[in-house]
Amino acid sequence: MHSLFSGDITIYWVINLSLLAVILYCGYNISHIKNSQHFRLFSLIIIAFYTIIEGLRWNRGVDYYEYYLIVTGVKEASASEFIYALLLNIWKTLCLPYWSFFMFCSGLYIASFLSIIRHYSYLAIWALPIWFFLTQAAAENIIRQYMAISFFLLGYSAFLQGEKRKMILCWLTVPLIHLSGIIVIAAFVCASYFEKATENKYTGLFLTLLYTGLVLFWDTSRLSAFSNLLQILPINDASSQFSGYIQNADRWFSNEGSLALLNHGRVGNTYHIALTKLLNIFLMYFGYESCKKNKGIKIIYFFFCIYTFLSIIGGDIEIYKRFGHWFVFALPILSSYVIMKFPMNKIIKALLIVLSIMVYTFPWLSKIGSMPYSGCAFVWDLI
């Protein structure tokens, strides 16, 4: 395996900052869209830059090298999902260059998110950079899950367009790439019941108070009881696809799986975590109020609620974060809508804008100039 730390750190950050600049520039132009060709032009620019830059990153996460070995035919895929295995076999059979597989995954993901943004184009100036800051690292690393997420987003875009057959086709694909995708599809079904709940004027206040209570009083150590229950259930079978998770439930579902413990205490920033929770409280309330004015964001708000409650209940435990990735796309859309469209006091709006900038940009901007955990190489560094 080539060195994890090969490549030039200066080139890496110049390229990443260039990608951010392209996203900001195109996001601004999409927000001021005049027609569909205008949207298509700037979307293609973002897709091209994102696909090339992210697709040509070498060893971009802990799972990358395993995918590299599978695509090049050195190793067999361990996952059994049909479409995932089919795609890998296509690459092996056609002897396509390994980097084209990662370009395909990156291109599919950015295209799928832009298919959602097309329905909220006026939010692009905020939503696109927030999306980039929130998902770049995960999309680089959790490759198969984000491939499945792409098909869910394409299906959701089809739903917004009223194309039910396309929606069903895309969503049937999701669990055939990553079985946990059943979670987000089930959540979408539940969202129809949530729409009825929004008719109650106290629902938003209740959710906000519930989240605030969890922020103040919840302790992830209570999840140990849940992991003990999993281990005695009849699904704990060595032949089950989930047996590895169930037999190691303490590692995956309780605070023994805390990323802080696994990384020897190095996870996040205390002030940033506190500001994130404060921002979520604001968004929980104003997001609900926004639903009353725009029915088109009710499902987005529902997904946002799932994400934020998973985050507070699971803390930094890895498996809950992985579940949360299915819903993270809702954050940039809801945040952008509340900031740009919801009428509120100017002081509160200014506070929300400052909070959003601090919460969403700090983890990314604070790393500028430093070595990424997965190195800074691109495929051309191997030549």
Side-chain angles (χ1 to χ4, degrees):
M1 180 176 177
H2 291 273
S3 172
L4 181 67
F5 301 106
S6 60
D8 188 300
I9 194 169
T10 302
I11 292 174
Y12 170 83
W13 280 110
V14 167
I15 290 174
N16 264 274
L17 287 169
S18 299
L19 177 57
L20 175 59
V22 168
I23 289 172
L24 288 168
Y25 173 75
C26 292
Y28 173 82
N29 282 281
I30 290 172
S31 290
H32 297 81
I33 191 169
K34 296 182 176 121
N35 51 55
S36 59
Q37 278 123 0
H38 188 258
F39 175 83
R40 193 175 298 116
L41 169 65
F42 289 103
S43 292
L44 286 173
I45 292 172
I46 296 178
I47 290 170
F49 272 81
Y50 187 89
T51 301
I52 292 170
I53 292 172
E54 291 297 320
L56 296 182
R57 280 272 283 119
W58 164 255
N59 202 36
R60 64 189 198 184
V62 294
D63 293 340
Y64 181 97
Y65 196 62
E66 182 176 357
Y67 288 104
Y68 166 78
L69 293 176
I70 294 169
V71 171
T72 53
V74 176
K75 182 179 179 181
E76 290 298 320
S78 57
S80 59
E81 286 85 347
F82 173 73
I83 292 180
Y84 166 69
L86 177 64
L87 285 170
L88 292 175
N89 284 327
I90 288 172
W91 252 263
K92 288 191 290 185
T93 303
L94 297 179
C95 297
L96 297 172
Y98 71 89
W99 44 262
S100 65
F101 174 77
F102 300 103
M103 288 186 70
F104 167 76
C105 295
S106 298
L108 180 66
Y109 180 52
I110 178 61
S112 68
F113 185 71
L114 283 167
S115 75
I116 302 291
I117 288 295
R118 181 173 57 175
H119 303 280
Y120 307 96
S121 58
Y122 53 93
L123 303 177
I125 181 59
W126 279 90
L128 282 171
I130 292 174
W131 162 84
F132 177 67
F133 291 133
L134 285 174
T135 68
Q136 186 194 25
E140 286 184 346
N141 182 29
I142 315 171
I143 296 167
R144 181 163 63 96
Q145 183 174 350
Y146 269 80
M147 186 194 302
I149 288 170
S150 300
F151 279 96
F152 175 77
L153 295 181
L154 290 171
Y156 185 65
S157 176
F159 164 77
L160 294 174
Q161 290 175 255
E163 299 177 1
K164 290 190 176 179
R165 288 184 180 178
K166 183 179 176 182
M167 177 194 79
I168 292 170
L169 180 62
C170 288
W171 287 356
L172 285 174
T173 303
V174 171
L176 296 176
I177 296 174
H178 203 289
L179 192 57
S180 69
I182 293 171
I183 294 169
V184 71
I185 295 171
F188 176 83
V189 174
C190 294
S192 60
Y193 295 98
F194 176 76
E195 289 201 59
K196 296 176 183 176
T198 58
E199 296 172 7
N200 187 321
K201 63 181 180 180
Y202 297 111
T203 301
L205 180 60
F206 169 75
L207 290 171
T208 305
L209 291 175
L210 176 61
Y211 178 79
T212 305
L214 289 171
V215 167
L216 295 174
F217 303 112
W218 176 254
D219 185 344
T220 55
S221 64
R222 296 174 185 173
L223 292 169
S224 297
F226 176 56
S227 68
N228 293 336
L229 174 64
L230 283 175
Q231 289 174 321
I232 63 173
L233 288 175
I235 57 174
N236 186 11
D237 185 319
S239 62
S240 167
Q241 188 166 356
F242 301 101
S243 61
Y245 293 105
I246 304 303
Q247 292 169 11
N248 296 287
D250 286 337
R251 159 68 178 83
W252 287 103
F253 296 96
S254 75
N255 62 343
E256 288 185 28
S258 165
L259 292 174
L261 293 176
L262 298 173
N263 294 320
H264 307 291
R266 299 189 301 273
V267 61
N269 174 287
T270 303
Y271 297 110
H272 179 261
I273 293 170
L275 290 175
T276 300
K277 292 173 180 177
L278 179 60
L279 176 61
N280 286 341
I281 290 171
F282 277 111
L283 292 176
M284 190 74 68
Y285 180 76
F286 289 117
Y288 175 79
E289 293 299 313
S290 298
C291 289
K292 295 179 181 178
K293 298 180 179 295
N294 184 351
K295 293 181 179 179
I297 63 165
K298 282 187 176 182
I299 294 175
I300 293 293
Y301 178 74
F302 180 69
F303 286 161
F304 162 80
C305 289
I306 294 175
Y307 178 85
T308 49
F309 280 110
L310 273 174
S311 298
I312 197 64
I313 292 170
D316 68 335
I317 300 172
E318 184 178 0
I319 194 68
Y320 296 93
K321 284 186 170 293
R322 293 218 176 190
F323 289 152
H325 288 303
W326 289 106
F327 305 98
V328 73
F329 78 94
L331 268 72
I333 296 172
L334 185 73
S335 300
S336 303
Y337 186 88
V338 170
I339 290 170
M340 295 183 68
K341 293 297 179 180
F342 186 76
M344 65 179 76
N345 179 282
K346 289 183 179 180
I347 295 175
I348 295 177
K349 177 163 281 195
L351 175 62
L352 265 179
I353 291 172
V354 172
L355 261 178
S356 297
I357 292 172
M358 293 175 68
V359 167
Y360 295 131
T361 66
F362 173 78
W364 198 91
L365 295 178
S366 64
K367 294 174 185 173
I368 292 177
S370 62
M371 176 68 71
Y373 78 96
S374 58
C376 59
F378 291 85
V379 295
W380 58 74
D381 292 309
L382 276 64
I383 300 172

